[in-house]
Amino acid sequence: MKKIMNHPDQVVEEMMTGMVLANPQRLQRIKGTTVLSKKTIPNAKKVALISGGGSGHEPAHAGYIGKGMLDAAVIGEVFTAPTMDQIYAAIKATHSGHGVCLIVKNYAGDIMNFDMAAELAVTEGIDVEQVVVKDDVAIEDSIFTTGRRGIAGTIFIHKITGALAEQGATLQEVKRIGEKAANAVRSMGIALSSCSIPAAGEPTFTLSDSEMEVGIGIHGEPGIERMEVASAQEIARQLVEPILADLQLGKGAEVALMINGMGATPQMELYIVMKEVHSLLEKREVLIYQSFVGEYMTSLEMGGVSITIFALDEELKHLLNEESDAPYFRV
Amino acid sequence: MKKIMNHPDQVVEEMMTGMVLANPQRLQRIKGTTVLSKKTIPNAKKVALISGGGSGHEPAHAGYIGKGMLDAAVIGEVFTAPTMDQIYAAIKATHSGHGVCLIVKNYAGDIMNFDMAAELAVTEGIDVEQVVVKDDVAIEDSIFTTGRRGIAGTIFIHKITGALAEQGATLQEVKRIGEKAANAVRSMGIALSSCSIPAAGEPTFTLSDSEMEVGIGIHGEPGIERMEVASAQEIARQLVEPILADLQLGKGAEVALMINGMGATPQMELYIVMKEVHSLLEKREVLIYQSFVGEYMTSLEMGGVSITIFALDEELKHLLNEESDAPYFRV
């Protein structure tokens, strides 16, 4: 394992320091915590939006802090849910009396810790609601989850809820739109190569020189099938078909599309996948309203790609287009 | 070599198709060429700005097409200079009578082909000027260059010249600011792992499990030294010191800083480098005016990082801050 780091135990701490130093006008660290937030919290005009999870998925989630997206991101150790006390600290720091909405990827550790933090805050009179994202159609249950996993589609939920919160919507309205968006988004990915957790020092899994893992999780957890590396066209088909089978879009349906690199995938390959997905959607008369190609939800230096399809209606389209100044999400 | 592609000979063609499909409102392909451009060319109000080079460095350069940056990008085969006729086609398509400025990274093939295309256009009465970027302080001459190589600092030249051109400056003014910016920018990088050109099918170079290459070029060409992988702190020092020795900044000088991932480097590692570079600059009382952390000039799936330091004055700061809607550069 080769990494640019100082000490495996310090990577998250030093990353957070670097993030704040790179964005001094934009970001702050809540003192004594692993929470990064906007500088303008608590914001008395709006519902506070918090997400988070294990680190190693950057730019998720700190890269989505900004106007029209998140108020704060709670950062766990690499591929490890943030602890309850950190999530609680984020709630305390951001709430302004308009309530707090937590956006949580569906992993057992995250669910448990976000739940406990929310309950504690509620006992103190803070209104807290949660939106759980379960967009990965690859598998129903996994070693880390009951039900589907939450992956790259989560970024669209940040965007949609963030836009509505910015307009001064109530906590219940923000929760409603978050759940509506979460119900309309599906993802699936493949990996060509593994990644190493710094403290582990070894690859999380191994693939031979000719294999890929279909339905990979964002922590390197197994998917549904290991097979010979297929063509871009075939990979696109293997990912788009299960998504569309689940989403059941009619002809003329409009979607936002995300082609997400897992960490080590050249943009060149992502755009080749873009071409193939476009072709598959065109055949089914599904219209791409907007495309996002890049690294949005990574798994350290894993090679691979995930595809996210987000079914839009007029309300979601409008919110997707609203301004955001989060550094890693550009509409 | 594992790649998400259909056929090694089609990767550039298919990538370009994907880029246009992903950005139908923003990008077009000039018919019969490997040139991508804004949809609003020729623009009668401004100097046309063109850059380009071999592909495999995405988002360079097509990702920097947009208001306030490039009008067009000429795309070569992987790690191969675009041909003269393609560059000429870009000039013809974008010029509006206000002249055309070419921004060229200093590699022999690029220099020759951009030169020939410029000369041909000049014979037809089109005003063409060039700004050559030579920001890599690692080596003076290389197998591909006379003089220093042009690497990630080129993106700042796109931004500065783009901002001035947008204001309606003359070709000579755009050339002047481009040369001023090019003289103020320095870069250097290291690699932890290699990359494979799709048509070659094998890694461009090899490093052992414990080695890094210091002063790596963006095509995997050799740097100045191969050594054991150092700490992030030491890597930052090895890159920042040669840059600062060359740039000779006084105390209180203001700079823009780019921490650029070479393709496979997790953002986590880039932010750790950010922390270390900040510390080194702080000790020398150099002020970071603005930081850019991400993938700006890649080498396919190479692992590694380059650091760019761009010395600013009031004029450059102002232009750096001007609005741009290029998808992969956010101020």
Side-chain angles (χ1 to χ4, degrees):
Chain A
M1 180 191 71
K2 289 196 271 193
K3 300 259 184 206
I4 304 174
M5 62 181 177
N6 293 305
H7 191 283
D9 294 343
Q10 288 298 312
V11 291
V12 178
E13 181 65 29
E14 294 187 354
M15 171 187 75
M16 285 188 287
T17 302
M19 285 175 166
V20 173
L21 289 170
N23 297 282
Q25 276 87 39
R26 229 190 273 268
L27 287 184
Q28 63 179 342
R29 182 166 174 180
I30 308 297
K31 208 176 169 179
T33 72
T34 63
V35 179
L36 297 186
S37 81
K38 280 185 197 169
K39 301 203 80 160
T40 53
I41 57 152
N43 182 337
K45 293 182 180 162
K46 64 182 279 298
V47 169
L49 267 191
I50 298 171
S51 191
S55 53
H57 305 301
E58 292 70 30
H61 295 274
Y64 305 118
I65 295 171
K67 182 168 181 286
M69 287 186 85
L70 302 179
D71 290 278
V74 194
I75 295 172
E77 285 299 312
V78 179
F79 293 175
T80 304
T83 56
M84 186 270 270
D85 57 317
Q86 302 297 329
I87 302 164
Y88 175 71
I91 296 171
K92 292 286 281 186
T94 56
H95 90 95
S96 68
H98 292 269
V100 178
C101 184
L102 311 177
I103 299 166
V104 188
K105 300 193 300 298
N106 189 39
Y107 293 96
D110 293 73
I111 293 291
M112 187 174 69
N113 294 351
F114 275 90
D115 263 353
M116 287 193 303
E119 276 174 33
L120 183 56
V122 167
T123 64
E124 296 186 14
I126 304 173
D127 287 337
V128 182
E129 293 287 357
Q130 297 186 62
V131 175
V132 178
V133 186
K134 314 176 179 184
D135 55 320
D136 188 347
V137 301
I139 52 177
E140 288 302 323
D141 297 300
S142 81
I143 45 176
F144 296 132
T145 53
T146 305
R148 290 175 171 178
R149 302 173 295 202
I151 58 173
T154 308
I155 314 310
F156 284 131
I157 317 308
H158 296 347
K159 181 65 183 70
I160 297 296
T161 52
L164 194 68
E166 204 67 45
Q167 294 173 4
T170 65
L171 179 58
Q172 288 309 316
E173 288 167 338
V174 171
K175 180 183 165 70
R176 176 195 65 81
I177 200 75
E179 291 188 336
K180 174 177 168 178
N183 284 331
V185 72
R186 302 287 189 283
S187 304
M188 188 166 157
I190 60 114
L192 295 189
S193 63
S194 186
C195 58
S196 300
I197 296 171
E202 292 187 350
T204 302
F205 63 106
T206 51
L207 287 169
S208 80
D209 283 350
S210 65
E211 278 177 328
M212 66 178 193
E213 175 94 22
V214 180
I216 191 80
I218 57 172
H219 312 95
E221 66 271 31
I224 45 173
E225 193 180 356
R226 195 165 279 201
M227 56 182 288
E228 291 293 292
V229 176
S231 67
Q233 190 175 39
E234 175 60 16
I235 288 172
R237 194 191 62 74
Q238 290 195 359
L239 299 178
V240 168
E241 285 194 352
I243 290 172
L244 291 185
D246 208 77
L247 205 50
Q248 301 195 334
L249 298 169
K251 284 185 186 180
E254 289 184 284
V255 301
L257 172 64
M258 180 178 283
I259 312 289
N260 172 59
M262 303 294 247
T265 311
Q267 258 191 26
M268 175 178 281
E269 298 176 34
L270 301 182
Y271 279 107
I272 294 173
V273 173
M274 173 70 213
K275 168 187 168 290
E276 298 301 341
V277 174
H278 182 276
S279 167
L280 290 166
L281 294 180
E282 196 170 45
K283 273 180 206 145
R284 292 170 181 252
E285 296 178 46
V286 170
L287 306 173
I288 302 175
Y289 177 71
Q290 195 153 1
S291 300
F292 300 84
V293 180
E295 293 185 341
Y296 292 93
M297 174 75 77
T298 63
S299 303
L300 296 168
E301 71 281 13
M302 189 188 289
V305 63
S306 70
I307 294 171
T308 297
I309 296 179
F310 179 28
L312 299 171
D313 63 9
E314 291 307 312
E315 183 181 34
L316 294 173
K317 272 159 64 173
H318 177 74
L319 293 168
L320 183 64
N321 276 334
E322 287 289 294
E323 192 197 341
S324 163
D325 69 1
Y328 293 99
F329 191 90
R330 168 164 278 188
V331 178
Chain B
M1 180 191 71
K2 289 195 270 192
K3 300 259 183 205
I4 304 174
M5 60 182 176
N6 292 307
H7 191 282
D9 295 341
Q10 289 297 312
V11 290
V12 179
E13 181 64 30
E14 294 188 353
M15 172 187 75
M16 286 188 286
T17 303
M19 285 175 166
V20 173
L21 289 171
N23 297 281
Q25 274 88 38
R26 229 191 272 269
L27 288 184
Q28 63 179 341
R29 182 166 176 179
I30 308 296
K31 207 176 170 181
T33 73
T34 63
V35 179
L36 297 186
S37 81
K38 282 184 195 168
K39 301 203 80 160
T40 54
I41 56 152
N43 181 337
K45 293 181 181 163
K46 65 182 279 296
V47 168
L49 267 190
I50 298 171
S51 191
S55 52
H57 305 301
E58 292 70 29
H61 296 274
Y64 306 118
I65 295 171
K67 184 168 180 286
M69 287 187 85
L70 302 179
D71 291 279
V74 194
I75 296 171
E77 285 299 310
V78 179
F79 293 175
T80 304
T83 57
M84 186 269 273
D85 57 314
Q86 301 297 328
I87 301 165
Y88 175 73
I91 295 170
K92 292 285 282 185
T94 56
H95 91 95
S96 68
H98 291 269
V100 178
C101 184
L102 310 177
I103 300 166
V104 188
K105 300 193 300 296
N106 189 38
Y107 293 95
D110 294 74
I111 293 292
M112 187 173 71
N113 295 351
F114 275 91
D115 263 353
M116 288 194 301
E119 277 173 34
L120 184 56
V122 167
T123 64
E124 296 186 14
I126 303 173
D127 288 337
V128 182
E129 293 287 357
Q130 298 186 60
V131 175
V132 178
V133 186
K134 313 176 179 184
D135 56 319
D136 188 347
V137 301
I139 53 176
E140 287 303 322
D141 296 301
S142 80
I143 45 175
F144 295 132
T145 53
T146 306
R148 290 175 171 177
R149 301 172 296 200
I151 57 173
T154 308
I155 314 310
F156 285 130
I157 316 309
H158 296 348
K159 181 64 183 71
I160 297 296
T161 51
L164 194 68
E166 203 68 44
Q167 294 173 4
T170 65
L171 179 58
Q172 289 308 317
E173 288 167 337
V174 171
K175 179 183 165 71
R176 176 194 67 80
I177 200 75
E179 292 188 334
K180 174 178 168 178
N183 285 329
V185 72
R186 302 288 188 285
S187 305
M188 188 166 156
I190 60 114
L192 295 189
S193 63
S194 186
C195 58
S196 301
I197 297 172
E202 291 187 351
T204 302
F205 63 106
T206 52
L207 287 168
S208 80
D209 282 351
S210 65
E211 278 177 329
M212 66 178 192
E213 175 94 22
V214 180
I216 190 81
I218 57 171
H219 312 95
E221 66 271 32
I224 45 174
E225 193 183 355
R226 195 165 280 201
M227 56 182 289
E228 292 292 292
V229 176
S231 67
Q233 190 174 39
E234 175 60 15
I235 289 172
R237 195 191 63 72
Q238 290 195 359
L239 299 178
V240 167
E241 285 194 353
I243 290 172
L244 290 184
D246 208 78
L247 205 50
Q248 301 195 332
L249 298 169
K251 285 185 184 180
E254 290 184 284
V255 301
L257 172 65
M258 181 179 282
I259 311 290
N260 172 59
M262 303 294 247
T265 312
Q267 258 190 25
M268 175 177 282
E269 299 176 33
L270 301 181
Y271 279 107
I272 294 172
V273 173
M274 172 71 213
K275 169 187 168 288
E276 298 300 341
V277 175
H278 182 276
S279 167
L280 290 167
L281 294 180
E282 195 170 46
K283 274 180 204 145
R284 292 171 180 252
E285 297 179 44
V286 170
L287 306 172
I288 301 174
Y289 176 72
Q290 195 152 2
S291 300
F292 300 84
V293 180
E295 293 185 339
Y296 292 93
M297 175 75 78
T298 63
S299 302
L300 295 168
E301 72 280 13
M302 190 189 287
V305 63
S306 70
I307 294 172
T308 297
I309 297 180
F310 180 27
L312 299 172
D313 62 8
E314 291 306 314
E315 183 182 34
L316 294 173
K317 272 160 64 173
H318 177 73
L319 293 168
L320 183 63
N321 276 332
E322 287 288 294
E323 190 198 342
S324 162
D325 69 1
Y328 291 99
F329 190 89
R330 167 163 279 190
V331 178

